[in-house]
Amino acid sequence: MTSDYGPLSARAFPMNIVTFDNVSKIYRMGQVEVAALRDVSFAIPKGGFTALIGPSGSGKTTALNLIGCLDSPTRGEVTVAGQAVKGLGRRSGADFRGQHIGFVFQDFNLLPVLTVYENVEYPLLMIRDQPNRQRRLAVERVLEAVGMADQARKYPAQLSGGQKQRVAVARALVGTPELVLADEPTANLDSQTAFMVISLMKQMRDAFGTTFVFSTHDPRIMEQAELTFRMVDGRLADDDSAHSQEAAT
Amino acid sequence: MKILRLAFKNLLRYKRRTLFTGLLIVVGVVAVIVFVGLSDAFKRAITGQITDSMLSHLQVHRKGYTASIDNLPLDRMLPAKAYGRLAAILDGDPAVEAFSGRIRFGAMLSNYAQTTNVRLIAVDPSKEQAAAPLLASRIKDRTRTDAILAPGEVALPEVLAKGMGLKPGDTVVLVANNKDGSVNGMTFIVAGMVESLMGPGGRDGYLHIDDAMALLRMDEPEISEVAVRVKNFRDVDAVAAKLQETLAPMKNQAGQPMFEVHTWKQLSPFFNVVRMIDLMTLGVQTILIAVVLISVLNVMMMSVYERVREIGTLAAMGTRPGRIMGLFVAEGFSLGLVSALGGSVAGIAVLWILNLSGVEVAFGGGNQVFALAPAVSPGQVASAALIVVGISVLASLQPAAKAARLAPVDALRHV
């Protein structure tokens, strides 16, 4: 069985959008090897609102990078939307991300020379080459959804941190990807704004049916997740670390 | 278009840096256009003066004449029969506008008080006027306006005439040896003063060809050189080559070729100056290339270095490496294009101002002043602009490739 992006993993499971199977990631820093992830296995269900939690250096960002096809594992297998990450080249990786994954960054990473509208339009214009009318409808819909339609002509420098992250969420969602990854999306926001952004992401999950996976070390934010994976020193905290909030309550 | 639009927006992100770099390129383009405009005008002015007032476009001599042209040999003339055949060929060539047979010889000039040597060119005034239409403008203080001179008159080199205190209307005696060595003398009226010009014949006097035949005791005209003017100056080399080919079968009694053909480039030392100017133009263009290469490369490298995280973001979102490269190449292209257009407009404006204010070049201690009309052809402007745009794209390739090669995960970590 193959996809446009290479061989599909035999371990791909229709109900899980992400699977980690004994995944290790080792970085070499000079003569020293640093293991960022060690034999990590987990699965993230489709349509979930999942958090990777843990202290700095625990491997959250490395795991998100592997899920986002930005990096490949040293050992083990990562499967995202049925696609084995290891088989992706630079170009096919870019194509896969452009079609299936949206990103929200800690520092928002909006393009400063583009307006809010143009920032949200970018993935459709420069990556998916969608026609003008289709683009306009999609951008207007998603800006409306995140409550930024009235700010469309502003530049990022004219927005507050919370507004910038709303725009970043809109940009991640505009191509209706299956999966949105957010690395510490609230780290640069005050607690009230952080809570609003997480609530917005959850609303968007409900509205668009997109799977959200985010990392955080803020206890109040992690409470919002439906499923959490606690990471410590590159490992899942224990075998039962996958913790369903609903199950817990 | 969408890439170009984004490229322009990114260039405007660092307005001051883009402005300074653009201005540097604009100055380079202006320098090239002004230099090319002025040097071409200079070449046109001098070449026009040399060919239109003295050499004409090409000359035909008896084989071996130009090798001893400084001696003005009378024993290497074209006989009347050979000249007749040559004239028939030239008359039948549609590319030839006019031609003039000349007799060149040396003589003694006397004003009854002093005697000196003088080099003379004997011409049929009407034919010479057609072959060298600016000759009349070189003869100052002319006594007649209908022709450059008439039988019985001589136009003397200006410097020589001044030195002997001669002025138009004065009577002088010319004494010359013919090819057999016998001496003859005749009196002439000074009809004007001939301005000096660089190159062979540039300090010669003029008289009527009938007078020269009488002075040299020729029964029938023997011609030293035939000056040929072509209809289109750009065709000089082609016409010369064709004429050479046509004349090649004509042999002298010894079976050697009868004629030799030379273009003005081979006869005038100014052609070496022309080549030097062309070399300098190439030098100026090379400097422009270096300016564009260094400035665009510098701007683009800084742009990539400053936007590593942004490149990581674009790559993470799914922008293909080729498109990221295209974005940066488009920035270099846009910078080059705008600067080239600005430089071209500014360069043409500077030339226009120079034309309005007038540019003059003086030679020979100010004796000869050429008014230049600096101008550039659309092709020359396009060439300068294309060099700038092409080098801009070339200079941005390396930084753009570097941007495209950045691993997204590393670029996103960049601080």
Side-chain angles (χ1 to χ4, degrees), chain A residues 27 65 68 70-71 90-91 94-95 97-98 101 103 105 107 109-115 118 121-123 125-127 129 155 171, chain B residues 2-3 5-6 9-10 12-13 309-310 312-321 323-324 327 403-409 412-413:
Chain A
Y27 293 106
N65 284 341
L70 298 173
D71 212 345
R90 288 175 70 85
R91 185 177 157 149
D95 287 348
R97 289 192 299 272
I101 306 173
F103 288 88
F105 301 97
D107 296 323
N109 291 18
L110 299 177
L111 301 183
V113 294
L114 301 183
T115 62
E118 290 166 337
E121 186 189 30
Y122 179 91
L125 179 71
M126 299 294 287
I127 298 168
D129 293 317
Y155 284 90
R171 182 177 65 182
Chain B
K2 58 192 178 190
I3 287 185
R5 213 170 126 248
L6 188 54
K9 281 177 173 260
N10 277 319
L12 292 176
R13 178 191 301 211
R309 287 197 74 182
E310 188 176 310
T313 306
L314 299 182
M317 286 194 294
T319 312
R320 285 179 174 177
R323 184 149 277 187
I324 291 176
L327 275 170
R405 279 198 303 267
L406 282 172
V409 69
L412 284 168
R413 265 193 228 121

Side-chain angles (χ1 to χ4, degrees), chain B residues 255-311:
Chain B
Q256 301 295 316
M258 172 70 84
F259 301 98
E260 59 185 18
V261 180
H262 295 102
T263 65
W264 74 274
K265 295 175 190 172
Q266 295 159 307
L267 295 167
S268 172
F270 180 71
F271 183 64
N272 289 326
V273 178
V274 169
R275 289 168 64 182
M276 186 60 74
I277 291 171
D278 290 342
L279 206 63
M280 286 167 70
T281 305
L282 196 67
V284 172
Q285 284 173 335
T286 308
I287 292 171
L288 173 68
I289 288 170
V291 166
V292 175
L293 193 69
I294 292 167
S295 48
V296 174
L297 185 67
N298 182 44
V299 164
M300 295 311 299
M301 283 182 79
M302 286 183 73
S303 190
V304 170
Y305 182 74
E306 288 165 354
R307 286 155 59 191
V308 169
R309 287 197 74 182
E310 188 176 310
I311 294 163

